[in-house]
């Protein structure tokens, strides 16, 4: 018999009680995605949403029926630094301590297709990853690591052809045939044009390279994932969860369509496509994001005609956020990484990298790398997370979030389709501009302390604690690489090498498979730079100049007193100079990460500065020439990849030699506090690390330019009066 006198509280009852407790205060939280997050969710919020069951379409709850209850995720720590010898020793120590797979980080010279002896990479060799110039380097990198049993992931996009060719040939020299190789090559060039910028060739030949790799690996390397479609770098550049989802899945769709256009059957390669997502601090949003990604990919592949269920399963690697790590109060980063790792695992990732606590400052030490790795081991072995499949499935909040993310990402993907697909949409500059705007909006929220970062804009420690950091001797690494390059070139059959390189160039013209031809060149010990140049002869090299967004900071700070003081200061300097103060934002070296540089350019422009955005990948000589040509007052050097001790003193020296010591040079980005004195002694006028308030940076620079800027305390005093 049904009880018609149900006395259980209703949502209306809850709402009335909550309003009474909070005296009517609105508890809604607005996310960067534009979601109005309610304080309570019920079944009504996802009544029309069916996530299904794990292991079954649309795979929202996981691609395996048993998920971690059957097998936990793979602990795949991303690492590489200095020389192949040092990286190899680091890998072997980590594998002995419980790591299950390798994920290789290459230095920026390698990413950009330059040998270590090239003049453009003086400050980059071995600094943000391992230097790989030849097959010999790759052999050393994997020495005593059996490539027939070890899964290897390689984050490489620009120089993907020589790196993958070196890996194949290094395995051959180890006695391992191609068909036994397991792992992943990132090979995702579209996101490079949007955010990361470690490209070499223009979009169309880059897309051909991807198709050739998919075709070659499908035929010869059945265990190897031919592409890892990356939302991670969009996440790090400031993308919202909706943007990361929509653009990443749309990238995957574009790659699949390009491969199909070459005659490949979708089910012959789709099962080897994988994904890569960034995991940030919005805990439940990140869990829902991974569930939404699997749903969206199923829909895309089903629509493209895939028949195999495996083709429709989105499998993903995840990495905890680098941009959430802070230089200030750095031990808090351990907690941040743990929270993000939990989100990735509760969201159902297949493998995971956890960042080390010191990566906001420098490359990780053995100590910090051990904590990062052990974070995963503790989650696997002690937390109970692996005991239940999709433990958050059925959560009203999670299901509602997942449904909303799917809905909004579908709408953005429709915009991409209307533009003619992702390649065409990237060509318009639309995705890059949208992500840069989102990044600037996020930074204003941090600067205004509306988004709290513990230890940075709230609960700051009384004094900063310096931590030990790893420093790579860039000059020593480069010297060793140049010596090995000379040895390889001296001992190879030069005629055979040149013939193989010529065949590669011809294949680029005539439609040969570039990976197959590059493999032939690698067997003749052609270098990474030589293989890249042989392709560049036909494809050309892509260049781009940043075009920062405008208006974000001006809108966010419309009624802010400190903002008004800075803008007034800019006007005062303009009256004195007879023109607006002029600042050049410089990106020297081969580091393409430009989020910080773009945020600074956008904010300073909104404040009234005349901003000159230098092109990416400048040498100090080129940056100096540009600064002189534009008559700038300040050069703001953005650094993320540890080239600051080489490149920034060099531009200061060049400006002095040119008779312009009056041009101020500042440094911003990932710079260890231990390097501050070195930079100041070299002539750097201001240093702004992660977490620096952009408005206060501008106030400081106005002071450098001779303006009597009121101190920040005066704003507080005025507000108190």
């Amino acid at each position: 018999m049904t009880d018609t006198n149900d006395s259980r509280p209703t949502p209306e009852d809850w709402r009335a009680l909550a309003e009474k407790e909070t005296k009517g205060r609105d508890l809604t939280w607005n996310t960067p995605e534009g979601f109005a997050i309610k304080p309570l969710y019920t079944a009504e919020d996802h009544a029309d949403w069916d996530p299904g069951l794990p292991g079954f379409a649309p795979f929202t709850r996981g691609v395996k029926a048993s998920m971690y209850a059957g097998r936990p995720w793979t602990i795949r720590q991303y690492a590489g630094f200095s020389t192949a010898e040092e990286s190899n020793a680091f890998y072997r120590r980590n594998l002995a301590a419980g790591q299950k797979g390798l994920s290789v980080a290459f230095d920026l010279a390698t990413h950009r297709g330059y040998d270590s002896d090239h003049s453009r990479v003086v400050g980059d060799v071995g600094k943000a990853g391992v230097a790989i110039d030849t097959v010999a380097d790759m052999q050393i990198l994997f020495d005593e690591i059996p490539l027939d049993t070890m899964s290897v992931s390689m984050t490489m996009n620009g120089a993907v052809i020589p790196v993958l060719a070196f890996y194949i040939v290094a395995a051959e020299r180890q006695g391992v045939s191609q068909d036994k190789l397991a792992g992943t090559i990132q090979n995702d060039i579209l996101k490079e044009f949007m955010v990361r910028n470690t490209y070499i060739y223009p979009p169309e030949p880059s897309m051909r390279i991807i198709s050739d790799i998919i075709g070659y690996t499908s035929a010869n390397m059945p265990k190897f994932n031919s592409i890892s479609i990356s939302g991670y770098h969009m996440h790090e550049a400031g993308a919202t969860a909706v943007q990361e989802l929509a653009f990443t899945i749309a990238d995957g769709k574009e790659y699949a369509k390009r491969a199909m256009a070459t005659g490949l059957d979708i089910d012959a390669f789709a099962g080897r496509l994988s994904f890569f997502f960034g995991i940030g601090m919005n805990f439940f949003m990140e869990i829902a994001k991974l569930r939404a990604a699997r749903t969206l990919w199923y829909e895309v592949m089903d629509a493209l005609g895939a028949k195999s269920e495996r083709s429709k399963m989105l499998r993903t690697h995840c990495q905890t956020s680098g941009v959430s790590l802070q230089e200030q109060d750095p031990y808090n980063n351990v907690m941040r990484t743990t929270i993000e790792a939990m989100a990735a695992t509760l969201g159902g990732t297949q493998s995971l990298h956890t960042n080390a606590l010191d990566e906001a400052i420098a490359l990780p030490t053995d100590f910090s790398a051990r904590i990062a790795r052990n974070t995963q081991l503790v989650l696997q072995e002690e937390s109970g997370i692996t005991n239940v499949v999709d433990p958050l499935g059925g959560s009203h909040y999670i299901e509602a979030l997942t449904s909303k993310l799917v809905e909004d990402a579908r709408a953005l993907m429709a915009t991409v389709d209307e533009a003619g697909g992702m390649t065409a949409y990237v060509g318009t500059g639309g995705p890059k501009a949208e992500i840069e705007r989102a990044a600037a909006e996020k930074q204003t929220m941090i600067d205004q302390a509306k988004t709290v970062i513990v230890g940075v804009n709230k609960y700051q420690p009384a004094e900063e604690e310096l931590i030990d950091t790893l420093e790579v001797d860039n000059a020593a690494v480069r010297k060793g690489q140049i010596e090995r390059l000379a040895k390889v070139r001296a001992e190879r059959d030069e005629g055979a090498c040149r013939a193989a390189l010529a065949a590669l160039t011809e294949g680029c013209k005539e439609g040969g498979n570039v990976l197959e031809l590059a493999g032939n060149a690698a067997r003749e010990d052609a270098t990474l730079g030589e293989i890249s140049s042989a392709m560049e002869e036909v494809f050309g090299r892509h260049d781009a100049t940043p075009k920062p967004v405008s208006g974000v900071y001006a809108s966010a700070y419309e009624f802010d007193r400190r903002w008004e003081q800075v803008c007034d200061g800019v006007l005062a300097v303009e009256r004195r100079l007879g023109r607006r103060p002029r600042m050049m934002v410089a990106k020297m070296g081969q580091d393409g990460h430009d989020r910080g540089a773009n945020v600074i350019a956008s904010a300073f422009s909104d404040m009234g500065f005349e901003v000159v955005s230098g092109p990416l990948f400048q040498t100090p000589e080129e940056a100096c020439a540009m600064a002189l040509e534009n008559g700038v007052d300040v050069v703001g050097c953005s650094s993320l990849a540890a080239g600051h001790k080489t490149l920034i003193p060099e531009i200061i020296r060049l400006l002095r030699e040119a008779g312009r010591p009056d041009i101020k040079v500042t440094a911003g980005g990932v710079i260890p506090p231990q390097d501050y004195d070195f930079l100041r002694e070299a002539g750097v006028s201001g240093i702004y690390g992660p977490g620096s308030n952009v408005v206060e940076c501008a106030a400081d620079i106005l002071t450098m330019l001779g303006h009597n800027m009121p101190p920040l305390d005066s704003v507080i005093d005025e507000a108190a009066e």
Side-chain angles (χ1 to χ4, degrees), residues 563-576 581 607 609 702 707 709-710:
W563 175 267
E564 290 177 6
Q565 285 184 331
V566 170
C567 292
D568 289 345
V570 173
L571 290 172
V573 174
E574 181 179 358
R575 288 191 294 272
R576 177 162 53 80
M607 294 174 208
F609 282 81
L702 286 172
H707 180 65
M709 191 70 203

PDB file of all heavy atoms in Angstrom, residues 563-576 581 607 609 702 707 709-710:
ATOM      1  N   TRP A 563      43.915  50.010  -9.916  1.00  0.00           N
ATOM      2  CA  TRP A 563      43.956  50.046 -11.380  1.00  0.00           C
ATOM      3  C   TRP A 563      43.950  51.495 -11.868  1.00  0.00           C
ATOM      4  O   TRP A 563      44.721  51.866 -12.761  1.00  0.00           O
ATOM      5  CB  TRP A 563      42.767  49.282 -11.937  1.00  0.00           C
ATOM      6  CG  TRP A 563      42.618  49.343 -13.431  1.00  0.00           C
ATOM      7  CD1 TRP A 563      41.876  50.237 -14.155  1.00  0.00           C
ATOM      8  CD2 TRP A 563      43.218  48.474 -14.397  1.00  0.00           C
ATOM      9  NE1 TRP A 563      41.979  49.970 -15.494  1.00  0.00           N
ATOM     10  CE2 TRP A 563      42.795  48.890 -15.679  1.00  0.00           C
ATOM     11  CE3 TRP A 563      44.061  47.376 -14.303  1.00  0.00           C
ATOM     12  CZ2 TRP A 563      43.187  48.248 -16.850  1.00  0.00           C
ATOM     13  CZ3 TRP A 563      44.461  46.733 -15.475  1.00  0.00           C
ATOM     14  CH2 TRP A 563      44.021  47.180 -16.724  1.00  0.00           C
ATOM     15  N   GLU A 564      43.103  52.314 -11.259  1.00  0.00           N
ATOM     16  CA  GLU A 564      43.030  53.736 -11.642  1.00  0.00           C
ATOM     17  C   GLU A 564      44.367  54.432 -11.406  1.00  0.00           C
ATOM     18  O   GLU A 564      44.812  55.244 -12.215  1.00  0.00           O
ATOM     19  CB  GLU A 564      41.922  54.442 -10.856  1.00  0.00           C
ATOM     20  CG  GLU A 564      40.512  54.026 -11.259  1.00  0.00           C
ATOM     21  CD  GLU A 564      39.456  54.690 -10.395  1.00  0.00           C
ATOM     22  OE1 GLU A 564      39.835  55.554  -9.563  1.00  0.00           O
ATOM     23  OE2 GLU A 564      38.270  54.350 -10.539  1.00  0.00           O
ATOM     24  N   GLN A 565      45.015  54.120 -10.258  1.00  0.00           N
ATOM     25  CA  GLN A 565      46.317  54.714  -9.963  1.00  0.00           C
ATOM     26  C   GLN A 565      47.356  54.344 -11.022  1.00  0.00           C
ATOM     27  O   GLN A 565      48.142  55.192 -11.461  1.00  0.00           O
ATOM     28  CB  GLN A 565      46.811  54.261  -8.591  1.00  0.00           C
ATOM     29  CG  GLN A 565      46.106  54.917  -7.418  1.00  0.00           C
ATOM     30  CD  GLN A 565      46.718  54.483  -6.103  1.00  0.00           C
ATOM     31  OE1 GLN A 565      47.243  53.379  -5.976  1.00  0.00           O
ATOM     32  NE2 GLN A 565      46.651  55.355  -5.107  1.00  0.00           N
ATOM     33  N   VAL A 566      47.361  53.061 -11.440  1.00  0.00           N
ATOM     34  CA  VAL A 566      48.319  52.620 -12.448  1.00  0.00           C
ATOM     35  C   VAL A 566      48.039  53.310 -13.782  1.00  0.00           C
ATOM     36  O   VAL A 566      48.968  53.801 -14.443  1.00  0.00           O
ATOM     37  CB  VAL A 566      48.283  51.087 -12.594  1.00  0.00           C
ATOM     38  CG1 VAL A 566      49.100  50.645 -13.806  1.00  0.00           C
ATOM     39  CG2 VAL A 566      48.825  50.421 -11.326  1.00  0.00           C
ATOM     40  N   CYS A 567      46.774  53.362 -14.187  1.00  0.00           N
ATOM     41  CA  CYS A 567      46.424  54.021 -15.448  1.00  0.00           C
ATOM     42  C   CYS A 567      46.793  55.506 -15.410  1.00  0.00           C
ATOM     43  O   CYS A 567      47.273  56.063 -16.404  1.00  0.00           O
ATOM     44  CB  CYS A 567      44.931  53.843 -15.747  1.00  0.00           C
ATOM     45  SG  CYS A 567      44.473  52.131 -16.122  1.00  0.00           S
ATOM     46  N   ASP A 568      46.568  56.155 -14.256  1.00  0.00           N
ATOM     47  CA  ASP A 568      46.973  57.562 -14.098  1.00  0.00           C
ATOM     48  C   ASP A 568      48.491  57.692 -14.212  1.00  0.00           C
ATOM     49  O   ASP A 568      49.006  58.650 -14.792  1.00  0.00           O
ATOM     50  CB  ASP A 568      46.509  58.103 -12.738  1.00  0.00           C
ATOM     51  CG  ASP A 568      45.004  58.300 -12.668  1.00  0.00           C
ATOM     52  OD1 ASP A 568      44.338  58.289 -13.736  1.00  0.00           O
ATOM     53  OD2 ASP A 568      44.474  58.436 -11.535  1.00  0.00           O
ATOM     54  N   GLY A 569      49.211  56.716 -13.640  1.00  0.00           N
ATOM     55  CA  GLY A 569      50.663  56.722 -13.735  1.00  0.00           C
ATOM     56  C   GLY A 569      51.144  56.612 -15.169  1.00  0.00           C
ATOM     57  O   GLY A 569      52.105  57.275 -15.574  1.00  0.00           O
ATOM     58  N   VAL A 570      50.484  55.768 -15.954  1.00  0.00           N
ATOM     59  CA  VAL A 570      50.827  55.624 -17.367  1.00  0.00           C
ATOM     60  C   VAL A 570      50.629  56.954 -18.098  1.00  0.00           C
ATOM     61  O   VAL A 570      51.470  57.380 -18.899  1.00  0.00           O
ATOM     62  CB  VAL A 570      49.989  54.507 -18.028  1.00  0.00           C
ATOM     63  CG1 VAL A 570      50.217  54.477 -19.537  1.00  0.00           C
ATOM     64  CG2 VAL A 570      50.330  53.147 -17.420  1.00  0.00           C
ATOM     65  N   LEU A 571      49.515  57.635 -17.798  1.00  0.00           N
ATOM     66  CA  LEU A 571      49.244  58.937 -18.416  1.00  0.00           C
ATOM     67  C   LEU A 571      50.294  59.969 -18.016  1.00  0.00           C
ATOM     68  O   LEU A 571      50.716  60.792 -18.839  1.00  0.00           O
ATOM     69  CB  LEU A 571      47.846  59.424 -18.019  1.00  0.00           C
ATOM     70  CG  LEU A 571      46.662  58.644 -18.618  1.00  0.00           C
ATOM     71  CD1 LEU A 571      45.344  59.098 -17.991  1.00  0.00           C
ATOM     72  CD2 LEU A 571      46.613  58.836 -20.131  1.00  0.00           C
ATOM     73  N   ALA A 572      50.730  59.931 -16.758  1.00  0.00           N
ATOM     74  CA  ALA A 572      51.748  60.873 -16.286  1.00  0.00           C
ATOM     75  C   ALA A 572      53.065  60.655 -17.027  1.00  0.00           C
ATOM     76  O   ALA A 572      53.740  61.607 -17.432  1.00  0.00           O
ATOM     77  CB  ALA A 572      51.947  60.717 -14.777  1.00  0.00           C
ATOM     78  N   VAL A 573      53.454  59.399 -17.213  1.00  0.00           N
ATOM     79  CA  VAL A 573      54.677  59.084 -17.952  1.00  0.00           C
ATOM     80  C   VAL A 573      54.529  59.516 -19.407  1.00  0.00           C
ATOM     81  O   VAL A 573      55.462  60.040 -20.019  1.00  0.00           O
ATOM     82  CB  VAL A 573      55.003  57.578 -17.849  1.00  0.00           C
ATOM     83  CG1 VAL A 573      56.185  57.216 -18.745  1.00  0.00           C
ATOM     84  CG2 VAL A 573      55.309  57.194 -16.395  1.00  0.00           C
ATOM     85  N   GLU A 574      53.333  59.326 -19.953  1.00  0.00           N
ATOM     86  CA  GLU A 574      53.083  59.745 -21.337  1.00  0.00           C
ATOM     87  C   GLU A 574      53.265  61.258 -21.488  1.00  0.00           C
ATOM     88  O   GLU A 574      53.866  61.723 -22.464  1.00  0.00           O
ATOM     89  CB  GLU A 574      51.671  59.339 -21.752  1.00  0.00           C
ATOM     90  CG  GLU A 574      51.328  59.724 -23.191  1.00  0.00           C
ATOM     91  CD  GLU A 574      49.927  59.302 -23.609  1.00  0.00           C
ATOM     92  OE1 GLU A 574      49.214  58.670 -22.786  1.00  0.00           O
ATOM     93  OE2 GLU A 574      49.541  59.599 -24.757  1.00  0.00           O
ATOM     94  N   ARG A 575      52.755  62.034 -20.525  1.00  0.00           N
ATOM     95  CA  ARG A 575      52.909  63.490 -20.592  1.00  0.00           C
ATOM     96  C   ARG A 575      54.384  63.891 -20.550  1.00  0.00           C
ATOM     97  O   ARG A 575      54.820  64.792 -21.259  1.00  0.00           O
ATOM     98  CB  ARG A 575      52.132  64.143 -19.446  1.00  0.00           C
ATOM     99  CG  ARG A 575      50.618  64.111 -19.618  1.00  0.00           C
ATOM    100  CD  ARG A 575      49.927  65.006 -18.604  1.00  0.00           C
ATOM    101  NE  ARG A 575      50.080  64.550 -17.235  1.00  0.00           N
ATOM    102  CZ  ARG A 575      49.266  63.675 -16.629  1.00  0.00           C
ATOM    103  NH1 ARG A 575      48.220  63.181 -17.286  1.00  0.00           N
ATOM    104  NH2 ARG A 575      49.474  63.332 -15.375  1.00  0.00           N
ATOM    105  N   ARG A 576      55.148  63.184 -19.735  1.00  0.00           N
ATOM    106  CA  ARG A 576      56.570  63.503 -19.595  1.00  0.00           C
ATOM    107  C   ARG A 576      57.363  63.113 -20.838  1.00  0.00           C
ATOM    108  O   ARG A 576      58.249  63.834 -21.276  1.00  0.00           O
ATOM    109  CB  ARG A 576      57.137  62.817 -18.352  1.00  0.00           C
ATOM    110  CG  ARG A 576      58.629  62.992 -18.121  1.00  0.00           C
ATOM    111  CD  ARG A 576      58.997  62.662 -16.690  1.00  0.00           C
ATOM    112  NE  ARG A 576      58.544  61.360 -16.266  1.00  0.00           N
ATOM    113  CZ  ARG A 576      59.163  60.206 -16.549  1.00  0.00           C
ATOM    114  NH1 ARG A 576      60.283  60.207 -17.272  1.00  0.00           N
ATOM    115  NH2 ARG A 576      58.671  59.066 -16.109  1.00  0.00           N
ATOM    116  N   PRO A 581      54.343  55.134 -22.580  1.00  0.00           N
ATOM    117  CA  PRO A 581      55.477  54.255 -22.268  1.00  0.00           C
ATOM    118  C   PRO A 581      55.389  52.991 -23.119  1.00  0.00           C
ATOM    119  O   PRO A 581      54.317  52.430 -23.311  1.00  0.00           O
ATOM    120  CB  PRO A 581      55.311  53.954 -20.771  1.00  0.00           C
ATOM    121  CG  PRO A 581      53.861  54.251 -20.463  1.00  0.00           C
ATOM    122  CD  PRO A 581      53.472  55.351 -21.402  1.00  0.00           C
ATOM    123  N   MET A 607      46.150  48.875 -19.678  1.00  0.00           N
ATOM    124  CA  MET A 607      46.536  49.951 -18.757  1.00  0.00           C
ATOM    125  C   MET A 607      46.995  51.213 -19.478  1.00  0.00           C
ATOM    126  O   MET A 607      47.145  52.263 -18.855  1.00  0.00           O
ATOM    127  CB  MET A 607      47.659  49.477 -17.843  1.00  0.00           C
ATOM    128  CG  MET A 607      47.266  48.377 -16.882  1.00  0.00           C
ATOM    129  SD  MET A 607      48.719  47.780 -15.970  1.00  0.00           S
ATOM    130  CE  MET A 607      48.299  46.099 -15.612  1.00  0.00           C
ATOM    131  N   PHE A 609      49.852  51.191 -21.725  1.00  0.00           N
ATOM    132  CA  PHE A 609      51.181  51.021 -22.295  1.00  0.00           C
ATOM    133  C   PHE A 609      51.063  50.743 -23.800  1.00  0.00           C
ATOM    134  O   PHE A 609      50.084  50.128 -24.251  1.00  0.00           O
ATOM    135  CB  PHE A 609      51.909  49.833 -21.661  1.00  0.00           C
ATOM    136  CG  PHE A 609      52.493  50.090 -20.300  1.00  0.00           C
ATOM    137  CD1 PHE A 609      51.691  50.041 -19.174  1.00  0.00           C
ATOM    138  CD2 PHE A 609      53.851  50.344 -20.136  1.00  0.00           C
ATOM    139  CE1 PHE A 609      52.223  50.252 -17.908  1.00  0.00           C
ATOM    140  CE2 PHE A 609      54.393  50.552 -18.882  1.00  0.00           C
ATOM    141  CZ  PHE A 609      53.570  50.510 -17.761  1.00  0.00           C
ATOM    142  N   LEU A 702      56.362  51.250 -13.676  1.00  0.00           N
ATOM    143  CA  LEU A 702      56.195  52.700 -13.732  1.00  0.00           C
ATOM    144  C   LEU A 702      57.212  53.399 -12.827  1.00  0.00           C
ATOM    145  O   LEU A 702      57.764  54.442 -13.184  1.00  0.00           O
ATOM    146  CB  LEU A 702      54.769  53.080 -13.331  1.00  0.00           C
ATOM    147  CG  LEU A 702      53.682  52.788 -14.366  1.00  0.00           C
ATOM    148  CD1 LEU A 702      52.296  53.023 -13.760  1.00  0.00           C
ATOM    149  CD2 LEU A 702      53.854  53.665 -15.619  1.00  0.00           C
ATOM    150  N   HIS A 707      58.261  57.312 -12.436  1.00  0.00           N
ATOM    151  CA  HIS A 707      57.006  57.820 -11.900  1.00  0.00           C
ATOM    152  C   HIS A 707      56.935  57.567 -10.403  1.00  0.00           C
ATOM    153  O   HIS A 707      57.270  56.476  -9.924  1.00  0.00           O
ATOM    154  CB  HIS A 707      55.815  57.161 -12.601  1.00  0.00           C
ATOM    155  CG  HIS A 707      54.492  57.641 -12.086  1.00  0.00           C
ATOM    156  ND1 HIS A 707      54.077  58.943 -12.231  1.00  0.00           N
ATOM    157  CD2 HIS A 707      53.491  56.991 -11.425  1.00  0.00           C
ATOM    158  CE1 HIS A 707      52.877  59.078 -11.683  1.00  0.00           C
ATOM    159  NE2 HIS A 707      52.508  57.915 -11.184  1.00  0.00           N
ATOM    160  N   MET A 709      55.072  56.367  -8.095  1.00  0.00           N
ATOM    161  CA  MET A 709      53.879  55.542  -7.928  1.00  0.00           C
ATOM    162  C   MET A 709      53.535  55.399  -6.457  1.00  0.00           C
ATOM    163  O   MET A 709      54.390  55.011  -5.647  1.00  0.00           O
ATOM    164  CB  MET A 709      54.125  54.161  -8.548  1.00  0.00           C
ATOM    165  CG  MET A 709      52.896  53.286  -8.689  1.00  0.00           C
ATOM    166  SD  MET A 709      51.767  53.899  -9.935  1.00  0.00           S
ATOM    167  CE  MET A 709      50.230  53.149  -9.367  1.00  0.00           C
ATOM    168  N   PRO A 710      52.276  55.687  -6.061  1.00  0.00           N
ATOM    169  CA  PRO A 710      51.900  55.475  -4.657  1.00  0.00           C
ATOM    170  C   PRO A 710      52.040  54.014  -4.283  1.00  0.00           C
ATOM    171  O   PRO A 710      51.766  53.134  -5.095  1.00  0.00           O
ATOM    172  CB  PRO A 710      50.426  55.913  -4.604  1.00  0.00           C
ATOM    173  CG  PRO A 710      50.189  56.684  -5.843  1.00  0.00           C
ATOM    174  CD  PRO A 710      51.165  56.219  -6.861  1.00  0.00           C
TER     175      PRO A 710
END
